[in-house]
Short mmCIF file of all heavy atoms in Angstrom, two decimals:
data_model
loop_
_atom_site.label_atom_id
_atom_site.label_comp_id
_atom_site.label_asym_id
_atom_site.label_seq_id
_atom_site.Cartn_x
_atom_site.Cartn_y
_atom_site.Cartn_z
N MET F 104 111.86 89.19 93.32
CA MET F 104 112.67 90.11 92.53
C MET F 104 113.53 90.95 93.46
O MET F 104 113.03 91.55 94.41
CB MET F 104 111.76 91.03 91.71
CG MET F 104 112.50 92.12 90.95
SD MET F 104 111.37 93.25 90.11
CE MET F 104 110.65 92.13 88.91
N PRO F 105 114.86 91.02 93.23
CA PRO F 105 115.70 91.90 94.04
C PRO F 105 115.20 93.33 93.95
O PRO F 105 114.80 93.80 92.88
CB PRO F 105 117.09 91.75 93.41
CG PRO F 105 117.05 90.44 92.68
CD PRO F 105 115.64 90.30 92.21
N ARG F 106 115.25 94.04 95.09
CA ARG F 106 114.67 95.38 95.10
C ARG F 106 115.38 96.31 94.13
O ARG F 106 114.77 97.20 93.54
CB ARG F 106 114.73 95.95 96.52
CG ARG F 106 113.98 97.28 96.62
CD ARG F 106 113.84 97.77 98.03
NE ARG F 106 113.21 99.09 97.98
CZ ARG F 106 113.68 100.17 98.55
NH1 ARG F 106 114.83 100.10 99.22
NH2 ARG F 106 113.06 101.32 98.49
N ASP F 107 116.71 96.15 93.92
CA ASP F 107 117.42 97.09 93.06
C ASP F 107 117.09 96.94 91.59
O ASP F 107 117.48 97.76 90.76
CB ASP F 107 118.94 97.00 93.29
CG ASP F 107 119.49 95.61 93.01
OD1 ASP F 107 118.70 94.71 92.70
OD2 ASP F 107 120.72 95.46 93.11
N THR F 108 116.36 95.86 91.23
CA THR F 108 115.91 95.69 89.84
C THR F 108 114.39 95.82 89.73
O THR F 108 113.82 95.51 88.68
CB THR F 108 116.35 94.33 89.30
OG1 THR F 108 115.77 93.28 90.09
CG2 THR F 108 117.86 94.19 89.32
N MET F 109 113.74 96.24 90.79
CA MET F 109 112.29 96.33 90.81
C MET F 109 111.78 97.28 89.72
O MET F 109 112.33 98.34 89.49
CB MET F 109 111.82 96.84 92.17
CG MET F 109 110.31 96.92 92.32
SD MET F 109 109.83 97.76 93.87
CE MET F 109 110.76 96.83 95.08
N SER F 110 110.70 96.85 89.06
CA SER F 110 110.04 97.71 88.07
C SER F 110 108.64 98.02 88.58
O SER F 110 107.89 97.12 88.98
CB SER F 110 109.96 97.01 86.72
OG SER F 110 109.29 97.81 85.78
N ARG F 111 108.29 99.31 88.55
CA ARG F 111 106.98 99.75 89.04
C ARG F 111 106.30 100.58 87.96
O ARG F 111 106.95 101.43 87.33
CB ARG F 111 107.15 100.60 90.30
CG ARG F 111 107.68 99.83 91.49
CD ARG F 111 108.37 100.71 92.50
NE ARG F 111 109.70 101.11 92.05
CZ ARG F 111 110.51 101.89 92.76
NH1 ARG F 111 110.14 102.36 93.94
NH2 ARG F 111 111.71 102.21 92.30
N THR F 112 105.02 100.31 87.75
CA THR F 112 104.23 101.08 86.78
C THR F 112 103.11 101.79 87.53
O THR F 112 102.36 101.16 88.28
CB THR F 112 103.65 100.18 85.69
OG1 THR F 112 104.72 99.53 84.99
CG2 THR F 112 102.82 100.98 84.70
N ALA F 139 117.50 106.18 88.65
CA ALA F 139 116.53 105.20 88.16
C ALA F 139 116.21 105.49 86.70
O ALA F 139 116.41 106.61 86.21
CB ALA F 139 115.25 105.24 89.00
N GLU F 140 115.69 104.50 86.01
CA GLU F 140 115.26 104.67 84.62
C GLU F 140 113.75 104.91 84.62
O GLU F 140 112.98 104.05 85.07
CB GLU F 140 115.61 103.44 83.79
CG GLU F 140 115.22 103.57 82.33
CD GLU F 140 115.57 102.33 81.52
OE1 GLU F 140 116.44 101.55 81.97
OE2 GLU F 140 114.97 102.15 80.44
N THR F 184 106.75 104.29 84.13
CA THR F 184 107.39 103.06 84.57
C THR F 184 108.76 103.42 85.14
O THR F 184 109.53 104.15 84.52
CB THR F 184 107.55 102.06 83.42
OG1 THR F 184 106.26 101.69 82.94
CG2 THR F 184 108.29 100.80 83.89
N VAL F 185 109.03 102.92 86.33
CA VAL F 185 110.30 103.18 87.01
C VAL F 185 111.03 101.86 87.14
O VAL F 185 110.53 100.92 87.76
CB VAL F 185 110.08 103.79 88.41
CG1 VAL F 185 111.41 104.13 89.07
CG2 VAL F 185 109.18 105.00 88.34
N SER F 186 112.22 101.79 86.57
CA SER F 186 113.03 100.57 86.64
C SER F 186 114.25 100.85 87.52
O SER F 186 114.97 101.83 87.32
CB SER F 186 113.49 100.15 85.25
OG SER F 186 112.37 99.87 84.42
N GLY F 187 114.46 99.98 88.49
CA GLY F 187 115.56 100.17 89.42
C GLY F 187 115.24 101.17 90.50
O GLY F 187 114.10 101.63 90.63
N LEU F 188 116.26 101.54 91.27
CA LEU F 188 116.07 102.43 92.41
C LEU F 188 116.75 103.77 92.16
O LEU F 188 117.83 103.83 91.57
CB LEU F 188 116.66 101.81 93.68
CG LEU F 188 116.05 100.48 94.13
CD1 LEU F 188 116.75 100.01 95.39
CD2 LEU F 188 114.56 100.59 94.34
N ALA F 189 116.12 104.82 92.63
CA ALA F 189 116.73 106.14 92.58
C ALA F 189 117.78 106.25 93.68
O ALA F 189 117.84 105.43 94.62
CB ALA F 189 115.67 107.22 92.77
N PRO F 293 102.13 100.90 95.23
CA PRO F 293 101.66 99.56 94.81
C PRO F 293 101.19 98.75 96.01
O PRO F 293 101.85 98.73 97.06
CB PRO F 293 102.90 98.95 94.17
CG PRO F 293 103.69 100.13 93.66
CD PRO F 293 103.48 101.20 94.70
N PRO F 322 103.36 98.20 101.15
CA PRO F 322 104.78 98.09 101.50
C PRO F 322 105.54 99.35 101.10
O PRO F 322 105.44 99.82 99.97
CB PRO F 322 105.25 96.87 100.70
CG PRO F 322 104.25 96.71 99.60
CD PRO F 322 102.95 97.21 100.14
N ARG F 323 106.31 99.87 102.02
CA ARG F 323 107.03 101.12 101.77
C ARG F 323 108.12 100.94 100.70
O ARG F 323 108.46 101.89 99.99
CB ARG F 323 107.65 101.63 103.07
CG ARG F 323 106.64 102.09 104.11
CD ARG F 323 107.29 102.29 105.46
NE ARG F 323 107.72 101.00 106.02
CZ ARG F 323 108.57 100.88 107.04
NH1 ARG F 323 109.09 101.97 107.61
NH2 ARG F 323 108.91 99.69 107.49
N GLN F 324 108.67 99.74 100.58
CA GLN F 324 109.80 99.51 99.68
C GLN F 324 109.47 99.74 98.21
O GLN F 324 110.37 99.96 97.40
CB GLN F 324 110.33 98.09 99.86
CG GLN F 324 110.96 97.80 101.20
CD GLN F 324 109.95 97.38 102.27
OE1 GLN F 324 108.74 97.54 102.10
NE2 GLN F 324 110.45 96.86 103.37
N SER F 325 108.19 99.67 97.83
CA SER F 325 107.82 99.84 96.43
C SER F 325 107.17 101.18 96.13
O SER F 325 106.77 101.44 95.00
CB SER F 325 106.87 98.70 96.00
OG SER F 325 105.72 98.68 96.81
N MET F 326 107.08 102.06 97.11
CA MET F 326 106.46 103.37 96.90
C MET F 326 107.34 104.23 96.00
O MET F 326 108.56 104.07 95.95
CB MET F 326 106.22 104.08 98.23
CG MET F 326 105.18 103.39 99.09
SD MET F 326 104.96 104.21 100.70
CE MET F 326 103.72 103.14 101.44
N VAL F 327 106.70 105.19 95.29
CA VAL F 327 107.41 106.05 94.36
C VAL F 327 107.02 107.51 94.66
O VAL F 327 105.84 107.84 94.74
CB VAL F 327 107.05 105.71 92.89
CG1 VAL F 327 108.03 106.38 91.95
CG2 VAL F 327 107.04 104.21 92.65
N VAL F 358 101.45 99.39 90.40
CA VAL F 358 101.74 97.95 90.48
C VAL F 358 103.24 97.74 90.37
O VAL F 358 103.99 98.58 89.86
CB VAL F 358 101.02 97.16 89.37
CG1 VAL F 358 99.51 97.26 89.53
CG2 VAL F 358 101.46 97.63 87.99
N VAL F 359 103.69 96.58 90.85
CA VAL F 359 105.07 96.17 90.66
C VAL F 359 105.08 94.98 89.71
O VAL F 359 104.09 94.24 89.59
CB VAL F 359 105.76 95.78 91.98
CG1 VAL F 359 105.83 96.96 92.92
CG2 VAL F 359 105.03 94.61 92.64
N ASP F 360 106.21 94.80 89.03
CA ASP F 360 106.40 93.64 88.17
C ASP F 360 106.89 92.49 89.04
O ASP F 360 108.05 92.42 89.42
CB ASP F 360 107.43 93.97 87.09
CG ASP F 360 107.62 92.82 86.11
OD1 ASP F 360 106.83 91.86 86.17
OD2 ASP F 360 108.56 92.88 85.29
N GLY F 361 105.97 91.60 89.40
CA GLY F 361 106.29 90.51 90.31
C GLY F 361 105.58 90.69 91.63
O GLY F 361 104.59 91.43 91.73
N GLU F 362 106.08 90.02 92.66
CA GLU F 362 105.44 90.07 93.96
C GLU F 362 105.79 91.37 94.70
O GLU F 362 106.87 91.92 94.53
CB GLU F 362 105.88 88.87 94.81
CG GLU F 362 105.42 87.52 94.27
CD GLU F 362 105.80 86.39 95.21
OE1 GLU F 362 106.42 86.66 96.26
OE2 GLU F 362 105.48 85.24 94.88
N LEU F 363 104.85 91.82 95.50
CA LEU F 363 105.11 92.98 96.35
C LEU F 363 106.16 92.64 97.40
O LEU F 363 106.22 91.51 97.89
CB LEU F 363 103.82 93.42 97.04
CG LEU F 363 102.77 94.12 96.19
CD1 LEU F 363 101.45 94.20 96.95
CD2 LEU F 363 103.24 95.52 95.80
N PRO F 364 106.98 93.62 97.77
CA PRO F 364 107.96 93.38 98.85
C PRO F 364 107.25 93.13 100.17
O PRO F 364 106.11 93.54 100.37
CB PRO F 364 108.76 94.69 98.89
CG PRO F 364 108.44 95.41 97.63
CD PRO F 364 107.08 94.97 97.21
N ARG F 365 107.94 92.48 101.07
CA ARG F 365 107.43 92.32 102.42
C ARG F 365 107.93 93.48 103.26
O ARG F 365 109.05 93.93 103.13
CB ARG F 365 107.91 91.00 103.02
CG ARG F 365 107.34 89.77 102.33
CD ARG F 365 107.77 88.50 103.02
NE ARG F 365 107.20 87.32 102.38
CZ ARG F 365 107.40 86.07 102.82
NH1 ARG F 365 108.17 85.86 103.88
NH2 ARG F 365 106.84 85.05 102.19
N ARG F 375 113.04 105.19 97.51
CA ARG F 375 113.93 105.24 96.35
C ARG F 375 113.19 104.76 95.10
O ARG F 375 113.75 104.60 94.07
CB ARG F 375 115.17 104.38 96.58
CG ARG F 375 115.98 104.84 97.80
CD ARG F 375 117.17 103.97 98.08
NE ARG F 375 118.10 104.00 96.95
CZ ARG F 375 119.15 103.18 96.84
NH1 ARG F 375 119.40 102.29 97.79
NH2 ARG F 375 119.94 103.25 95.78
#
Side-chain angles (χ1 to χ4, degrees):
M104 174 184 294
R106 187 172 176 233
D107 59 357
T108 61
M109 183 188 307
S110 179
R111 294 156 284 180
T112 300
E140 181 180 340
T184 297
V185 184
S186 299
L188 299 180
R323 293 167 292 165
Q324 294 86 346
S325 58
M326 293 177 181
V327 194
V358 296
V359 297
D360 183 9
E362 295 184 0
L363 287 167
R365 294 184 179 182
R375 300 178 62 189

